[in-house]
Amino acid sequence: MTGRDDEHRHTGVTVPGHADSTWARELLDHLRPTGRDVTRIVDWLGTTVDAAVSLRDQNGTPLAGAPTPLDEGLVTDIVTGRLASASWEGDGRHVRMIRVELPPPAAAGVLAVARTAPFDRRAADIVTHTAAALELLLRAQRTAATGHRLARATSDLRLAILQLLMVEDTSAARRVAAGLWPGLLDTDTACVYVVETSPADRDRLAEACIEATREQSLVVRCPAVDAHVIVLTPRDTAGADLRALCNRRRGTFLGGSARQSLAHTAAAYGQAVSALAVARFRPDKTAVYAERTHPERLMDPAALRAWTTRLLRPLDTLAHHTRAELLATTRLGLEFTAVSAAKVLGVSRNTVRARMERVENLLGADFSDLAVRAAVHLALNTEACLTDDRHPAATAPARLVDLLTGPALRTWAHDLLARLDADGRDLRKTLRAWIAAGGNAERAAQLLGVHAQTVREHVRGAEPVLERRLLAAGSDLYEVVLAHLVTGALGPPGLHADPHPSPRPDPHQA
């Protein structure tokens, strides 16, 4: 038995001037990105030097190759660093052992090569260089794994910050963000953008968004939709940067919100998703929520605020955090499915449903009624967008029916629904029946005496005409519902906050 400190051990795998460098080229091939595998290298070494090869850690756990009987005393000396390598001969075997650094928590391992023939210069060189190659590969894997864990932790932290903002816990969100992104949330307002691409390209898109916004935005891979990247940014120029990014990438769409306070991030997110639906129909593939006229902008602001305050008053008895949590959850639950809202908020779908049921009970509302959902959605977004001192209080209690009678709003509603008249399939009739049936195609088909698939095709056909998503619940659908309420095509929703008699239908209804 002999031992040495291996002071002349190489750190590379090339053998300049060696008479037979074929094995060196083969070993290098195993270090290329497509061939980096410890087990394959160990198997290759065994074949090349006609030996039994194994790699084990300091506890004797096999890492690659078949286990080989070894002198445990020598193994201990090697893994503790007393020896860098050792050779042993006996029982018709020639064994060579070399220390190999392993990623934590293991300290070191042993590469053991046993053969029946003595080690000549060529075999010894191959073993030595293979040990060095294994160390390089393991070190690279450790670095890659560390980088991956760091990237995953950073991504999870970004999502956690967004989820805190979604439930209006801005103080906690700022504390979490301060450590890694100082100054990112040192703002009262921000915009939310949703960028859409293919699920396979989303990771690259997220990195591109971080680069495009100069790492001064909160970029989150949407937990609910695999094709979406959410960008929350206080920077005024971020919208232009993201538009330029979309112009350079095929199949990429951008929807943006109006500027909102951080406490209303959930509302801004809903606006961005709504704008994204419009962006799919536009040549430049981008849209911003404020770019189109929305019904609430055509209502008397003071009356709208008074009605909103009265409708949501039953929630005022709750603790501030509980109230904010219920409203944020309901806002997302009305905008998306319970499953998607749960993923965005980081809670279970049962939690989302329980919170929404609690709001239903407090408001005396039935969320299975699309008109009720549209009315509550209007109130929640109004609360998110209006401040206490922006408009004077209404002089008389407002009712929803009072809000829907303004001339500008009536013009908007008639113009919106009139777009459907150009289609010969009577989309207007189908859409009215579908909304009255709570968005259920089967029930609407029974009312109309047609097949359910016909109803779905008509509703889907109305989407590009109205430039709004209808089959997916959200702001687009609720705007169309409000248009039907304004024109009198649908009766007003049953809300405890509106106990007054309903107005007569508009004689000009569709």
Side-chain angles (χ1 to χ4, degrees):
M1 184 273 292
T2 61
R4 60 185 180 83
D5 61 7
D6 223 25
E7 62 182 359
H8 300 297
R9 180 175 171 183
H10 298 289
T11 58
V13 294
T14 58
V15 187
H18 198 283
D20 178 13
S21 59
T22 300
W23 63 266
R25 290 193 296 271
E26 292 176 354
L27 182 55
L28 282 172
D29 286 338
H30 283 289
L31 294 179
R32 300 185 191 281
T34 56
R36 294 176 181 174
D37 182 85
V38 170
T39 299
R40 289 177 58 185
I41 292 179
V42 168
D43 292 343
W44 170 85
L45 176 60
T47 301
T48 303
V49 298
D50 191 19
V53 182
S54 66
L55 178 65
R56 51 173 281 184
D57 64 14
Q58 70 270 25
N59 299 318
T61 303
L63 302 178
T68 302
L70 301 174
D71 185 315
E72 294 302 323
L74 287 178
V75 170
T76 300
D77 288 341
I78 291 174
V79 298
T80 58
R82 292 181 58 193
L83 296 174
S85 65
S87 298
W88 178 83
E89 180 181 349
D91 298 330
R93 292 193 312 156
H94 297 267
V95 181
R96 188 169 174 82
M97 294 176 284
I98 298 180
R99 174 186 171 91
V100 175
E101 297 290 338
L102 298 178
V110 174
L111 176 67
V113 184
R115 50 186 267 164
T116 56
F119 284 86
D120 55 16
R121 175 64 182 274
R122 175 181 179 275
D125 281 347
I126 294 175
V127 171
T128 300
H129 285 80
T130 302
L134 286 170
E135 280 195 351
L136 288 173
L137 176 58
L138 291 168
R139 190 180 303 130
Q141 290 177 343
R142 177 178 60 190
T143 302
T146 301
H148 178 74
R149 287 194 299 270
L150 179 60
R152 179 62 182 270
T154 303
S155 178
D156 290 346
L157 189 58
R158 292 177 188 271
L159 175 58
I161 294 170
L162 179 66
Q163 289 170 340
L164 288 170
L165 292 174
M166 287 288 191
V167 294
E168 301 185 19
D169 196 347
T170 56
S171 297
R174 285 189 174 106
R175 287 195 300 270
V176 175
L180 287 179
W181 302 285
L184 175 63
L185 298 183
D186 291 347
T187 179
D188 294 326
T189 62
C191 291
V192 173
Y193 294 90
V194 176
V195 194
E196 181 180 84
T197 186
S198 66
D201 193 49
R202 185 173 70 162
D203 287 346
R204 288 186 291 271
L205 176 63
E207 294 301 322
C209 289
I210 293 174
E211 182 179 350
T213 58
R214 299 165 181 80
E215 299 189 10
Q216 296 178 18
S217 301
L218 183 68
V219 179
V220 179
R221 293 163 177 82
C222 179
V225 183
D226 291 340
H228 288 182
V229 174
I230 303 169
V231 181
L232 182 145
T233 176
R235 297 175 57 245
D236 292 330
T237 59
D241 295 334
L242 292 173
R243 284 191 184 91
L245 175 64
C246 289
N247 288 336
R248 297 193 301 268
R249 302 174 71 97
R250 296 183 59 186
T252 304
F253 303 92
L254 173 69
S257 74
R259 182 167 285 274
Q260 298 277 11
S261 70
L262 287 181
H264 299 145
T265 297
Y269 173 59
Q271 291 179 354
V273 173
S274 177
L276 181 63
V278 177
R280 297 190 186 100
F281 302 110
R282 292 194 169 181
D284 62 355
K285 305 182 297 183
T286 66
V288 176
Y289 184 79
E291 289 179 353
R292 88 182 184 213
T293 300
H294 297 277
E296 64 270 21
R297 299 176 183 273
L298 304 176
M299 299 177 187
D300 182 331
L304 178 59
R305 187 182 64 171
W307 172 78
T308 296
T309 300
R310 189 158 53 107
L311 179 66
L312 301 181
R313 185 168 293 146
L315 282 77
D316 294 343
T317 59
L318 304 174
H320 173 74
H321 176 73
T322 301
R323 184 181 188 276
E325 185 176 70
L326 289 179
L327 290 182
T329 302
T330 302
R331 188 180 294 117
L332 285 175
L334 292 176
E335 196 74 43
F336 310 101
T337 65
V339 174
S340 296
K343 291 179 179 179
V344 171
L345 293 172
V347 298
S348 71
R349 59 185 176 183
N350 289 335
T351 298
V352 171
R353 293 190 177 107
R355 291 175 183 175
M356 293 185 68
E357 288 176 3
R358 187 175 180 186
V359 173
E360 275 185 291
N361 293 332
L362 287 170
L363 300 184
D366 179 8
F367 287 165
S368 66
D369 186 328
L370 281 181
V372 171
R373 291 173 71 93
V376 174
H377 183 269
L378 171 65
L380 294 179
N381 280 348
T382 299
E383 187 194 50
C385 297
L386 295 180
T387 60
D388 291 337
D389 57 355
R390 180 178 295 183
H391 299 286
T395 57
R399 301 172 301 168
L400 179 61
V401 293
D402 300 325
L403 299 175
L404 304 181
T405 57
L409 187 62
R410 295 167 76 87
T411 299
W412 166 84
H414 282 291
D415 289 346
L416 177 64
L417 298 182
R419 300 181 192 176
L420 300 170
D421 296 338
D423 194 294
R425 294 174 291 178
D426 200 354
L427 299 182
R428 189 187 285 230
K429 179 180 178 181
T430 303
L431 189 56
R432 182 171 62 247
W434 180 74
I435 293 174
N440 185 289
E442 284 74 16
R443 290 204 300 268
Q446 291 176 0
L447 293 173
L448 296 170
V450 298
H451 196 278
Q453 185 60 30
T454 301
V455 174
R456 296 188 186 94
E457 290 175 357
H458 283 197
V459 175
R460 190 176 294 111
E463 289 186 321
V465 176
L466 299 175
E467 291 189 336
R468 285 161 173 82
R469 294 188 310 165
L470 301 176
L471 291 172
S475 299
D476 289 355
L477 172 59
Y478 301 141
E479 286 187 6
V480 176
V481 173
L482 286 177
H484 281 78
L485 294 176
V486 171
T487 62
L490 294 175
L495 294 169
H496 287 187
D498 282 321
H500 306 286
S502 301
R504 298 182 63 182
D506 182 348
H508 302 292
Q509 65 174 289

